[in-house]
Amino acid sequence: KKLEAELSKELDVLLGTTAVELDSRSASVRSQETVIGNIMADAIRQSTGAQFAIVNGGGIRGNKVYPAGSPLSRRDILTELPFGNTTVLVEISGAQLTDALENGISQIDSRAGRFAQISGGKVVFDRTAAVGKRIVSLEIGGKPVDPAAKYTVAANEFILAGGDGYSTLNKGKTLVGATDGTLMANVVMAYIRKMGAVKGEIEGRIVFAK
């Protein structure tokens, strides 16, 4: 009981308060852009200095709605990110990034965990097109992605290793591997603590043309 009390004291440390509603329900993070997904992807992109970031929706596990004004604690973030994943950084081609995002949308109808929450760009999908050919456009930093160009992409070690069908992320150059990365939950905690009042909106990072 003493250890439980001490652990609770550490877990219940306040990181910040959300100024907007955060929706981590599985049906949302596995099928559409979400504010909480944006925050997590922004956190790992900023911490690694990447141009783009991918967070697999299946890695976000809280499955709840935080109303605007809700406090956010360490416990909340560890509930959302319970797997102990570390952040990684890779350099891959635009074509490989496109393949990765095609994988992310490939099972949207079944709301599979591979759906990608992203940071650093915008992707337009046609969900009615054939699997592997659903991306209508992809931009990074406001510019169309060049299939032959190289881009730095932040992610977690689970999908770097091919988890959730992400077989292309490890075909480029690994700049920060699984054993060298930072615990993703800690990165998100630090990002929220820095923000204080957590703000965000649906920005049109993920758009469905059809």
Side-chain angles (χ1 to χ4, degrees):
K1 288 182 178 180
K2 181 181 178 182
L3 289 173
E4 286 177 355
E6 290 176 357
L7 184 59
S8 290
K9 188 187 298 183
E10 292 298 321
L11 289 176
D12 292 332
V13 168
L14 182 67
L15 300 171
T17 302
T18 181
V20 296
E21 180 180 278
L22 300 178
D23 181 1
S24 72
R25 291 174 296 179
S26 295
S28 300
V29 296
R30 296 175 180 225
S31 67
Q32 64 194 42
E33 176 186 352
T34 61
V35 175
I36 196 167
N38 287 352
I39 290 169
M40 292 179 177
D42 286 349
I44 67 169
R45 182 171 68 89
Q46 186 179 100
S47 73
T48 58
Q51 294 169 278
F52 195 84
I54 296 173
V55 172
N56 54 313
I60 303 173
R61 307 293 283 200
N63 196 34
K64 64 181 289 186
V65 174
Y66 301 82
S70 297
L72 296 174
S73 67
R74 289 175 177 170
R75 186 189 299 275
D76 292 321
I77 303 308
L78 287 170
T79 299
E80 294 295 344
L81 299 170
F83 297 121
N85 290 326
T86 57
T87 58
V88 297
L89 180 65
V90 298
E91 183 182 74
I92 57 177
S93 69
Q96 289 166 331
L97 176 58
T98 300
D99 286 345
L101 293 174
E102 285 283 7
N103 171 66
I105 196 69
S106 64
Q107 297 182 12
I108 187 172
D109 291 337
S110 59
R111 291 176 174 165
R114 65 189 60 196
F115 186 85
Q117 301 288 325
I118 65 171
S119 173
K122 174 182 178 179
V123 60
V124 178
F125 292 110
D126 177 357
R127 62 192 297 169
T128 66
V131 170
K133 297 181 179 179
R134 291 179 170 176
I135 292 181
V136 176
S137 65
L138 175 60
E139 298 177 357
I140 290 181
K143 297 180 180 180
V145 165
D146 178 350
K150 301 293 185 181
Y151 299 92
T152 52
V153 179
N156 63 57
E157 97 283 359
F158 172 70
I159 61 174
L160 176 66
D164 276 343
Y166 282 92
S167 59
T168 59
L169 291 178
N170 60 12
K171 291 183 178 179
K173 181 179 181 181
T174 299
L175 303 176
V176 178
T179 58
D180 301 314
T182 304
L183 190 68
M184 184 175 166
N186 284 352
V187 170
V188 173
M189 287 182 203
Y191 186 75
I192 290 174
R193 188 181 292 114
K194 185 177 179 180
M195 291 176 72
V198 179
K199 299 177 182 178
E201 60 184 355
I202 302 302
E203 303 173 357
R205 300 183 186 189
I206 301 169
V207 177
F208 293 102
K210 293 182 181 180

